[in-house]
Amino acid sequence: TQLLEQSPQFLSIQEGENLTVYCNSSSVFSSLQWYRQEPGEGPVLLVTVVTGGEVKKLKRLTFQFGDARKDSSLHITAAQPGDTGLYLCAGAKSGNTPLVFGKGTRLSVIA
Amino acid sequence: EAQVTQNPRYLITVTGKKLTVTCSQNMNHEYMSWYRQDPGLGLRQIYYSMNVEVTDKGDVPEGYKVSRKEKRNFPLILESPSPNQTSLYFCASSRTGPAGETQYFGPGTRLLVL
């Protein structure tokens, strides 16, 4: 059972376009994280959200945690080729329970 | 430099030949874990360790063993590798248990079992 469903799986857009990636679950998470992974490397943390309704911004990236703490979204404004990569959401239900990862969204931004 | 290191980065082996993938972190982290990443399946946790001498199964532990004798090291052991263990493996560590904590990932080990 996949606890975290990410959509879309693949996304190919032109430079300058906006996009949103979704991470949904029927379970409540105490925290949710977004990672980015580039080819040949391990995932790198972008953000952690812990409060329902929380919004965090990282330059052109906006992350939101759902009010019920069951879902999250990542919005990228004016995408650039450097944003290309695999975006992964990961959630933990409590302090010591294992982290669960979504299958990822592979983003390709074409110049 | 704070980092998680894995060795080897690439490995080709044959069915049944025991192998060990090493993982070491220099951040004094308590929590360490192993994942495998497969196309269409994403990252799945194999084993994790909350601290020295404390290990537990993740989602896909069959065919793997781990040990945590020292805080910095968390080797992954495949006693008798099989082709279905061909995968990309990542070790990760965090200061404490995973909720809300940054996971620092190693660079990955690409394993091919013939």
Side-chain angles (χ1 to χ4, degrees):
Chain A
T1 303
Q2 187 67 28
L3 292 181
L4 282 170
E5 299 285 346
Q6 280 188 246
S7 62
Q9 273 190 287
F10 302 95
L11 192 54
S12 181
I13 61 171
Q14 295 290 325
E15 182 177 3
E17 292 183 1
N18 302 332
L19 67 110
T20 302
V21 176
Y22 299 93
C23 177
N24 295 310
S25 176
S26 57
S27 301
V28 175
F29 291 92
S30 65
S31 65
L32 205 138
Q33 298 175 317
W34 286 91
Y35 289 81
R36 188 171 91 185
Q37 184 179 13
E38 301 192 25
E41 299 180 10
V44 175
L45 181 72
L46 294 172
V47 77
T48 299
V49 286
V50 297
T51 305
E54 183 176 5
V55 176
K56 281 192 174 179
K57 293 193 175 184
L58 187 66
K59 296 183 182 178
R60 293 176 293 100
L61 278 60
T62 302
F63 304 86
Q64 184 162 7
F65 201 10
D67 291 340
R69 291 186 287 128
K70 292 183 179 181
D71 53 81
S72 181
S73 63
L74 157 60
H75 181 79
I76 301 179
T77 304
Q80 298 176 2
D83 295 326
T84 293
L86 179 67
Y87 289 82
L88 298 160
C89 65
K93 292 188 175 181
S94 64
N96 292 338
T97 57
L99 205 58
V100 174
F101 280 84
K103 292 183 181 180
T105 294
R106 192 166 295 280
L107 172 65
S108 176
V109 182
I110 303 163
Chain B
E1 179 191 354
Q3 60 182 352
V4 177
T5 56
Q6 293 179 230
N7 282 293
R9 292 290 313 275
Y10 304 92
L11 181 59
I12 301 174
T13 189
V14 295
T15 299
K17 187 176 181 183
K18 181 179 178 179
L19 67 93
T20 299
V21 184
T22 64
C23 172
S24 183
Q25 50 92 5
N26 63 359
M27 296 169 278
N28 200 36
H29 284 171
E30 291 184 353
Y31 185 87
M32 297 185 74
S33 57
W34 275 102
Y35 295 88
R36 60 178 289 174
Q37 188 173 36
D38 302 288
L41 297 176
L43 272 167
R44 293 178 294 166
Q45 192 176 58
I46 303 169
Y47 268 94
Y48 64 97
S49 169
M50 296 298 297
N51 213 325
V52 176
E53 302 292 0
V54 181
T55 63
D56 213 339
K57 295 177 181 178
D59 294 323
V60 287
E62 295 77 22
Y64 305 95
K65 284 174 57 178
V66 293
S67 69
R68 187 92 182 271
K69 296 187 174 120
E70 307 164 281
K71 200 170 189 179
R72 64 183 295 128
N73 296 323
F74 191 44
L76 179 69
I77 303 154
L78 284 71
E79 293 270 3
S80 183
S82 62
N84 65 13
Q85 292 178 298
T86 292
S87 187
L88 178 57
Y89 291 87
F90 288 100
C91 179
S93 74
S94 60
R95 190 175 56 91
T96 61
E101 290 286 331
T102 302
Q103 296 297 309
Y104 293 87
F105 284 85
T109 295
R110 192 168 288 279
L111 172 65
L112 173 61
V113 183
L114 301 173

